[in-house]
Amino acid sequence: MSMAANAYTLQIRDWSFRITPLRIMLFALTLGFGLLAVYRLIVGLGATTNMNDRWAWAYWLILDYVFIALAGAGYSMALMSHVLHVQDVHRVSRRGLLISLLFYVYALVILGLEVGRWDNWYRPLFYWGYHSPLFEVYIAIIFYFGIQLIEFSEVATEKVFKPANRYVQMLLPAAFVLGAIIPFGHQGALGAIFLAMPNKLHPLWYSSMIPWFYVLTSFYAGLSLLILEMFWSNRLYASGIDMPALHKLLRVGACLMAAYFVWKIIDLYRLDALGYAFAGGFESALFLLELGGGVLLPALIGFSRWGKTGTGLVTFAALATMGLILNRANVLYTGFYRTLGPGYTPSWIEWGVSIGLFAAIILAYLFIVENFNIFKAAKH
Amino acid sequence: MTKSVLLDLTQCIGCGACTVACKLWNQLEFADGAPATGEKAVKDHSNWTTVTFRKVQKDGAPVWRFVKEQCLHCLEPACVSVCFAKALQISKEGAVVYRPDLCVGCRYCMLGCPFSVPKYEWQRSLPNVSKCQMCAGKIAQGEVPACVGACPTGAMTFGERDDNLALARQRIEQGNGRYINHIYGEKEAGGTRWLYLSDVDFSKLGMVTNVPEVPIASFTDDYLRWTVPLLAGGALLFTALRHYTKRRNDIESSQASQKESKKK
Ligand code: SF4
Ligand code: SF4
């Protein structure tokens, strides 16, 4: 191990990682996560979480839903950049891929802690419960995770195992096509999971259309997060703001959000549930906040001239991302409150695990962008 | 052949013998804070069946009713269709049974069951789902479930579902208004193997009454049947688009560079 000129940069051969006080804090949080996770695996769910027989799905499952949806950049980029070859977009597609990969890792780790019998995780590979939407989620995510690893190995083999790059290139066309289509399957099936709860989920959210809504919302949420990532990384690394690419993302995102908004209203009307939106009560309020503040408002910003400015883009993307988070939380918490009743708030361990793991993901992100070619792809 | 139990709530005296028999046969724990019988009966991982005492209004006067509840052993169970690991299965005799060796612990069955029957062993480090198995081992040998055998008033009749339905209808008809005209479980969630007769409304007894009359699986199947063809079609479409858009861009850019070279 050798220390480079900058005393705060850890340097081992051609790997480097800057150490700052903030990053030390992130390391500490990651360590905390590790301890809590091990503790959870040893003592079980009852002693560590506030989940119970009524709230059998809770905060951790909301996180899974949120992170898989926000990882939408992976497939939206594969589709826009490698299937449709939309101009400008290919320059940001590696960023999309990276966010997606890290967010899947996050969701899968949380999922591993969330299920009770993680030791049986491989069972469905041999016992196909194919009547369950969850089976589709399971198979598609396993498959897609492999594809993301292939996609990412293109980036990785530019630095390590360089000769392998040739072979990775041969796999890439198939990986991009499959990587663009498969997430449609599990994003939709994640919504379809709720189809089995017609007498439990609140009519503001229960609909036969929910699988399609989940696909649509994850697609634009992924784009929004990518916009945020570009501004954030520019602040950290002055990696540049690729306005032409961002404007493409903005346009596609805003159009999809507008489409979702209209479709959702029509759907509520079709199901005769529009009245619930104005019935008062906290369900209505949170629903209006979600659809108004998290869908309609950003869509309008996206269509406005101001939306194309830096602040406009960030506002658009932040609102859209919040809207997505609120939607997933609304379905799993607000929408079930009427049926399951009060009696659940996340325990400090549930919070700690979620925060600590997020710190780990941020560290992984920083390490990868500092050691691999994620941004510079923009140059050619 | 599908076995069934007809439970006539008007004959239940609330003694709780069935809950004790259940615990003994299935080796479930008796926990202090979680009685299986009484006004505050708790449904949890060691109380597969409970008898809840309820004071309800009948003909303008308060009366006590005793409501024995357990898994209803649906004809087309939601728990079986939502389980992605096939950890819930229907036995030859028609009991909905659980195989802990296959369960991943996702708890979809708990939320997917329209009656919220399955419970979880929250305190264990490798917890299992837990619910009534209709004494599958006993009925496979031609015996009756433990609870049925323990009931001193004979409130439960074990037999073929068709016979039990006929018996229930007969009781309603011959009861001269003693029973309400609703066989709980005849249609609920597409039909269940446990059938209930009562003289007061089931909603007053705290039973789940907002269940659809079709099996829960029909809601998910409507979507799932499309996914494989859609995904396969999508993969083909995307492959075609990938080649098409690439060629289009190549042609466009070569035209653009031709124009530029002409200018020079
Ligand atoms: S009542 Fe619930 S747990 Fe019992 S068989 Fe039906 S769906 Fe499954
Ligand atoms: S918790 Fe177990 S039994 Fe229930 S749905 Fe999940 S895998 Fe199946």
Side-chain angles (χ1 to χ4, degrees):
Chain A
M1 195 203 287
S2 72
M3 285 285 176
N6 183 345
Y8 291 104
T9 301
L10 205 58
Q11 188 102 34
I12 305 170
R13 270 180 264 147
D14 55 348
W15 302 93
S16 67
F17 195 66
R18 257 192 298 146
I19 304 290
T20 64
L22 185 70
R23 289 180 184 196
I24 290 172
M25 205 185 85
L26 291 175
F27 270 117
L29 287 171
T30 305
L31 188 70
F33 160 77
L35 295 175
L36 289 179
V38 170
Y39 181 61
R40 134 77 188 98
L41 290 179
I42 293 173
V43 303
L45 290 162
T48 47
T49 73
N50 282 343
M51 282 190 268
N52 53 53
D53 278 335
R54 273 180 304 130
W55 290 96
W57 283 357
Y59 176 55
W60 283 352
L61 204 78
I62 296 178
L63 289 176
D64 289 325
Y65 267 91
V66 165
F67 276 78
I68 295 286
L70 291 178
Y75 81 114
S76 57
M77 282 301 103
L79 179 59
M80 289 169 69
S81 159
H82 298 291
V83 170
L84 302 178
H85 291 105
V86 179
Q87 307 230 314
D88 304 319
V89 172
H90 67 275
R91 292 193 300 266
V92 294
S93 75
R94 278 191 177 186
R95 295 166 178 264
L97 170 64
L98 178 60
I99 302 178
S100 174
L101 182 64
L102 291 173
F103 274 38
Y104 271 88
V105 170
Y106 186 98
L108 290 177
V109 173
I110 294 281
L111 209 55
L113 296 173
E114 203 262 354
V115 299
R117 292 297 304 268
W118 46 273
D119 56 320
N120 278 342
W121 74 270
Y122 60 91
R123 286 298 198 176
L125 289 174
F126 303 100
Y127 292 82
W128 294 7
Y130 54 83
H131 279 289
S132 172
L134 188 58
F135 182 69
E136 189 182 340
V137 173
Y138 173 82
I139 295 292
I141 287 190
I142 289 183
F143 206 54
Y144 182 58
F145 195 72
I147 286 172
Q148 290 195 92
L149 290 180
I150 295 177
E151 291 178 339
F152 186 74
S153 64
E154 188 206 5
V155 181
T157 52
E158 290 168 0
K159 181 156 176 149
V160 290
F161 307 117
K162 285 182 189 149
N165 191 274
R166 258 185 55 216
Y167 303 104
V168 174
Q169 294 293 342
M170 292 182 341
L171 290 174
L172 278 182
F176 284 138
V177 170
L178 290 174
I181 187 72
I182 289 173
F184 280 91
H186 58 261
Q187 299 284 3
L190 279 167
I193 282 177
F194 300 107
L195 292 177
M197 304 157 191
N199 67 335
K200 296 191 182 179
L201 183 56
H202 193 284
L204 279 173
W205 291 282
Y206 186 86
S207 160
S208 54
M209 290 296 144
I210 194 168
W212 309 102
F213 290 158
Y214 267 46
V215 171
L216 197 52
T217 49
S218 74
F219 200 92
Y220 71 66
L223 299 181
S224 315
L225 197 71
L226 188 52
I227 297 176
L228 291 180
E229 184 267 350
M230 177 158 267
F231 281 93
W232 183 57
S233 62
N234 183 49
R235 278 185 67 170
L236 287 178
Y237 300 108
S239 50
I241 301 284
D242 189 338
M243 273 300 183
L246 289 190
H247 286 165
K248 285 259 160 67
L249 303 186
L250 177 76
R251 214 172 54 230
V252 173
C255 286
L256 291 178
M257 297 179 85
Y260 171 60
F261 181 79
V262 174
W263 192 1
K264 180 74 198 174
I265 300 285
I266 293 175
D267 191 52
L268 285 176
Y269 181 75
R270 171 181 76 102
L271 297 171
D272 214 7
L274 208 48
Y276 289 104
F278 307 101
F282 86 110
E283 284 105 341
S284 313
L286 284 167
F287 173 79
L288 290 177
L289 185 65
E290 170 200 327
L291 206 63
V295 182
L296 182 61
L297 184 59
L300 292 177
I301 292 176
F303 287 122
S304 74
R305 183 172 296 204
W306 179 67
K308 296 199 166 51
T309 64
T311 340
L313 274 162
V314 173
T315 315
F316 162 84
L319 285 174
T321 307
M322 300 295 284
L324 184 283
I325 296 173
L326 188 55
N327 169 264
R328 296 306 193 257
N330 268 348
V331 170
L332 273 160
Y333 186 78
T334 320
F336 279 100
Y337 195 85
R338 220 172 54 162
T339 312
L340 304 183
Y344 173 79
T345 42
S347 71
W348 73 266
I349 295 183
E350 286 173 272
W351 284 113
V353 161
S354 71
I355 295 167
L357 186 57
F358 196 61
I361 291 295
I362 293 180
L363 284 175
Y365 170 89
L366 297 172
F367 177 77
I368 291 172
V369 299
E370 285 171 21
N371 287 281
F372 292 95
N373 179 10
I374 301 294
F375 304 147
K376 275 177 256 150
K379 299 267 157 60
H380 31 206
Chain B
M1 175 179 104
T2 191
K3 293 294 181 198
S4 142
V5 178
L6 173 64
L7 167 48
D8 188 336
L9 288 179
T10 63
Q11 296 180 18
C12 177
I13 52 168
C15 68
C18 51
T19 67
V20 176
C22 174
K23 276 176 186 273
L24 292 177
W25 178 256
N26 296 298
Q27 300 183 322
L28 302 171
E29 177 199 1
F30 289 83
D32 274 350
T37 310
E39 276 179 86
K40 297 213 164 66
V42 176
K43 296 170 190 154
D44 70 6
H45 63 96
S46 48
N47 291 348
W48 288 0
T49 185
T50 50
V51 178
T52 308
F53 297 4
R54 289 192 185 265
K55 199 194 245 175
V56 292
Q57 290 292 322
K58 183 173 162 55
D59 310 325
V63 289
W64 282 98
R65 286 294 173 266
F66 314 103
V67 192
K68 178 192 187 291
E69 287 172 281
Q70 72 297 306
C71 167
L72 293 157
H73 296 273
C74 306
L75 294 174
E76 290 182 55
C79 61
V80 170
S81 67
V82 302
C83 177
F84 75 132
K86 285 218 183 306
L88 287 152
Q89 302 175 351
I90 306 178
S91 79
K92 198 156 95 276
E93 291 75 27
V96 179
V97 292
Y98 172 65
R99 283 195 46 189
D101 57 319
L102 299 182
C103 174
V104 182
C106 65
R107 309 187 290 284
Y108 193 5
C109 49
M110 300 175 66
L111 281 122
C113 167
F115 310 98
S116 303
V117 165
K119 300 288 181 256
Y120 212 51
E121 299 175 328
W122 294 101
Q123 299 312 326
R124 283 177 63 177
S125 51
L126 288 176
N128 290 323
V129 169
S130 120
K131 74 166 195 69
C132 157
Q133 314 274 309
M134 208 154 125
C135 295
K138 280 168 89 79
I139 64 176
Q141 296 185 359
E143 296 170 35
V144 300
C147 57
V148 176
C151 181
T153 68
M156 289 173 272
T157 317
F158 181 73
E160 291 297 312
R161 185 170 187 269
D162 288 342
D163 300 343
N164 270 343
L165 265 181
L167 179 62
R169 280 206 202 93
Q170 192 190 354
R171 283 197 197 162
I172 290 176
E173 273 159 32
Q174 295 174 356
N176 291 325
R178 174 176 160 82
Y179 296 100
I180 58 161
N181 189 16
H182 178 183
I183 306 171
Y184 188 91
E186 181 183 15
K187 299 211 174 92
E188 275 75 8
T192 65
R193 290 184 177 86
W194 277 72
L195 301 165
Y196 284 70
L197 281 175
S198 168
D199 60 347
V200 291
D201 227 50
F202 290 103
S203 58
K204 282 196 205 158
L205 299 175
M207 294 176 65
V208 184
T209 47
N210 66 346
V211 259
E213 289 196 349
V214 290
I216 293 295
S218 63
F219 294 89
T220 42
D221 278 351
D222 270 352
Y223 169 77
L224 287 176
R225 82 180 74 193
W226 294 105
T227 56
V228 173
L230 276 180
L231 289 177
L236 289 178
L237 178 71
F238 282 8
T239 312
L241 279 174
R242 177 174 158 83
H243 290 292
Y244 167 74
T245 52
K246 183 150 186 347
R247 222 177 116 66
R248 191 194 55 195
N249 287 1
D250 287 350
I251 292 174
E252 270 172 20
S253 61
S254 74
Q255 278 171 349
S257 62
Q258 267 172 16
K259 266 184 210 158
E260 236 158 67
S261 58
K262 269 181 199 161
K263 263 187 233 160
K264 282 174 193 166

